[in-house]
Amino acid sequence: MKIGLLGFGKTGKAVAAVILQHKEFSLEWVYRRSATLEGRDVPEFLGVESDQPGRIYSAAKIDIPELIDQHPVDIIIDFSSETGIYVYGESAAERRIKIISAVSHYGDAEKALLKKLSAKTVVFWSPNITLGVNYLLFAAQFLKKIAPWVDIEINEEHFKEKKGLSGTAVKLANALELEETDINSVRAGGIVGKHEVIFGFPYQTVRLIHESISREAFGNGVVFVAENIKTKEPGLYSFEDILMPYFSPQ
């Protein structure tokens, strides 16, 4: 499958490195606002041995419709920003290019646009695309069903520069029917990302913890999702939709 990538910050670079080392995928291009790295090859830039083209293009030199017509892809992976979907969404949907978005936060307008695009193509969105944190979400929901009366607290820790609440923590809170005020946040140093759900039972405590050790974990999640949406029909999908078949009895 041919891949186009939006977003080339720390996480985007880590995701690109994982894709470049995967034989079933080809990173065709990276699209950025800045023209700083225009024309560079991602494998050479990251020091990864790969035959994949991975050329960097900028919005200052080429727009998305022209880029995807000249260099077609099967999937666009978005690690950019809340507004990135406006740049490529319509063009991707018209060409039936699948969309995988790992953007942490979307407003109501962006969520409505994702739904609209999903009428034409496969659209997958997860605020946290790591496999582990989605396993945590499943486990937390199951435990809540067993003991709906239990006391629950959510802790999230991230790097100092991260703004606002973690999108993953908000998703956990929604799934467990908690308020966002029940989320405790820590911003310090270079923490990649840590989420903890504490279940307070009488006389005992259960803690479910997920910690991202390296940003490459996001790349592994992308590969997992891409492999599992290959045969999906147009629609809006979440990690729950991808994982549920694995939990169903065969």
Side-chain angles (χ1 to χ4, degrees):
M1 287 187 287
K2 294 183 177 181
I3 304 291
L5 174 66
L6 272 78
F8 203 56
K10 291 180 180 178
T11 302
K13 290 182 177 71
V15 170
V18 171
I19 294 172
L20 289 172
Q21 297 173 72
H22 200 285
K23 294 181 180 179
E24 293 185 14
F25 299 95
S26 175
L27 181 63
E28 295 295 301
W29 45 259
V30 171
Y31 193 67
R32 309 178 72 229
R33 290 179 182 175
S34 170
T36 305
L37 300 176
E38 173 75 30
R40 293 286 298 274
D41 292 326
V42 177
E44 175 269 331
F45 179 79
L46 296 179
V48 176
E49 289 189 16
S50 175
D51 295 329
Q52 300 177 32
R55 182 66 60 88
I56 299 175
Y57 297 90
S58 74
K61 299 292 182 69
I62 189 171
D63 60 21
I64 276 287
E66 185 179 359
L67 176 60
I68 58 182
D69 284 341
Q70 291 182 9
H71 305 280
V73 293
D74 301 301
I75 302 175
I76 290 179
I77 298 169
D78 186 1
F79 274 90
S80 60
S81 67
E82 181 178 315
T83 58
I85 190 66
Y86 293 107
V87 175
Y88 69 89
E90 294 285 358
S91 298
E94 289 172 2
R95 294 162 177 79
R96 303 296 191 269
I97 298 171
K98 294 178 175 63
I99 295 169
I100 297 177
S101 173
V103 173
S104 294
H105 294 279
Y106 278 127
D108 290 340
E110 289 73 37
K111 291 176 184 176
L113 178 56
L114 291 178
K115 184 66 175 177
K116 176 185 174 184
L117 299 176
S118 71
K120 296 181 178 179
T121 190
V122 172
V123 178
F124 174 94
W125 174 48
S126 177
N128 188 318
I129 205 164
T130 61
L131 271 172
V133 84
N134 285 284
Y135 291 156
L136 180 150
L137 177 61
F138 259 67
Q141 288 176 297
F142 288 146
L143 189 50
K144 174 72 180 290
K145 286 181 180 179
I146 295 170
W149 41 265
V150 71
D151 296 327
I152 305 175
E153 290 286 332
I154 297 174
N155 298 329
E156 59 102 347
E157 303 175 12
H158 285 84
F159 51 94
K160 193 171 183 178
E161 294 80 12
K162 185 175 179 64
K163 298 178 181 178
L165 281 176
S166 157
T168 301
V170 171
K171 186 173 183 178
L172 280 165
N174 292 336
L176 298 172
E177 300 178 332
L178 301 177
E179 301 295 330
E180 291 187 11
T181 52
D182 293 316
I183 300 172
N184 307 299
S185 297
V186 172
R187 297 290 178 268
I191 301 170
V192 175
K194 181 178 180 180
H195 294 88
E196 178 183 29
V197 184
I198 303 173
F199 294 87
F201 292 88
Y203 315 113
Q204 59 188 316
T205 302
V206 174
R207 296 173 184 265
L208 301 178
I209 300 172
H210 173 267
E211 185 167 10
S212 294
I213 300 168
S214 167
R215 287 181 172 83
E216 276 74 10
F218 295 97
N220 290 336
V222 164
V223 167
F224 179 81
V225 171
E227 290 174 334
N228 280 272
I229 65 171
K230 285 190 292 187
T231 59
K232 295 289 187 185
E233 295 296 321
L236 182 58
Y237 297 89
S238 66
F239 235 116
E240 289 89 335
D241 300 314
I242 302 298
L243 289 178
M244 188 58 73
Y246 292 94
F247 288 82
S248 300
Q250 299 297 320

